Amino acid sequence: ERPCYSEQDVIKADYDPEFSRLKEEVQRLLGKGMNIEELKILLGFVRYLGLDYDVISILVSYCKARAEQKGRRRRISLRSIEQEAYAWAEKGIDTIEEAAAFIQMQNQRASRMGRVLQILQIYGRNLTAAEERYAGSWLDMGMEDEAIAMAYERTCLNTGGLNWAYMNKILQRWHSQGLHTGEEGRTGDQKPGT
């Protein structure tokens, strides 16, 4: 169960110069002041999750950049950052080095996802949640771009366009057969009717 801090807890924390600096830094990053409820969330990052002040600054910057990449116009809320903070805590990301490594990995994944969108000829829009799950699962399976492109082409030829479920079945079958590259897909999947 998540902690419930009082307004008094926040006032006491504000006397701590480190927390006060963190508060100012987060407000600067968010581009706005924080209300008492948001300050309670911030206090939870420190006390309940045990995140280092520098890690919290990195977390807020990361969440802000990710929201901007997805084209969100509104300012990011501390409530949405809280979800990511809990995810980081569960993954044990509690040092600057671990945060930097995680962000680098996420940036590489976002770059791969961008290439998948190009392969699928999706421009000018974000993926829906279901589409993102499909594409993410293909990356998690270790499918290379050429294999994804081959599955896309086969899907279009057999269904007349992009059919996510159909394409997913092709890639899952290849994955179960240990076929992850375009070359493996060409040589290992040459059975009649596929």
Side-chain angles (χ1 to χ4, degrees):
E1 186 176 311
R2 293 185 182 190
C4 186
Y5 295 105
S6 69
E7 190 171 335
Q8 202 62 34
D9 292 326
V10 171
I11 292 167
K12 284 181 191 172
D14 221 7
Y15 285 110
D16 173 4
E18 288 295 311
F19 184 80
S20 190
R21 270 195 293 279
L22 174 66
K23 179 180 85 171
E24 288 173 19
E25 173 68 6
V26 170
Q27 288 177 152
R28 185 189 64 75
L29 289 168
L30 295 177
K32 67 179 187 81
M34 288 186 285
N35 63 35
I36 196 72
E37 292 307 312
E38 292 170 319
L39 290 170
K40 289 177 185 178
I41 292 170
L42 187 62
L43 188 59
F45 293 174
V46 175
R47 289 191 182 167
Y48 183 71
L49 296 178
L51 295 177
D52 181 80
Y53 292 129
D54 291 333
V55 171
I56 294 169
S57 292
I58 292 169
L59 167 73
V60 172
S61 295
Y62 167 74
C63 290
K64 180 181 177 186
R66 199 171 69 177
E68 288 168 355
Q69 287 169 352
K70 290 187 175 186
R72 295 205 177 105
R73 302 269 183 255
R74 293 183 333 191
R75 287 187 176 142
I76 188 165
S77 73
L78 213 57
R79 185 64 70 190
S80 63
I81 295 170
E82 181 182 31
Q83 292 175 324
E84 190 69 22
Y86 274 83
W88 282 28
E90 284 178 25
K91 292 174 184 155
I93 301 169
D94 57 6
T95 67
I96 294 170
E97 295 76 20
E98 290 166 340
F102 173 78
I103 291 169
Q104 182 179 6
M105 186 180 70
Q106 292 302 106
N107 288 341
Q108 288 169 345
R109 185 177 178 88
S111 176
R112 283 276 337 267
M113 193 65 83
R115 289 198 306 274
V116 169
L117 290 178
Q118 288 177 332
I119 291 167
L120 302 179
Q121 300 177 34
I122 296 173
Y123 304 103
R125 73 170 182 88
N126 292 322
L127 294 179
T128 67
E131 291 170 340
E132 200 163 324
R133 282 192 298 275
Y134 275 126
S137 73
W138 304 336
L139 299 181
D140 293 341
M141 285 187 251
M143 290 296 170
E144 292 189 1
D145 291 351
E146 191 181 2
I148 293 171
M150 287 173 52
Y152 173 64
E153 184 176 338
R154 186 174 294 181
T155 298
C156 290
L157 287 171
N158 292 339
T159 68
L162 175 56
N163 179 317
W164 289 89
Y166 187 93
M167 186 171 165
N168 190 54
K169 284 184 179 152
I170 293 170
L171 291 168
Q172 282 181 331
R173 185 178 70 246
W174 288 351
H175 176 64
S176 70
Q177 296 170 346
L179 312 174
H180 296 94
T181 68
E183 184 60 34
E184 290 169 349
R186 271 190 292 284
T187 59
D189 193 36
Q190 303 210 350
K191 298 187 273 289
T194 58

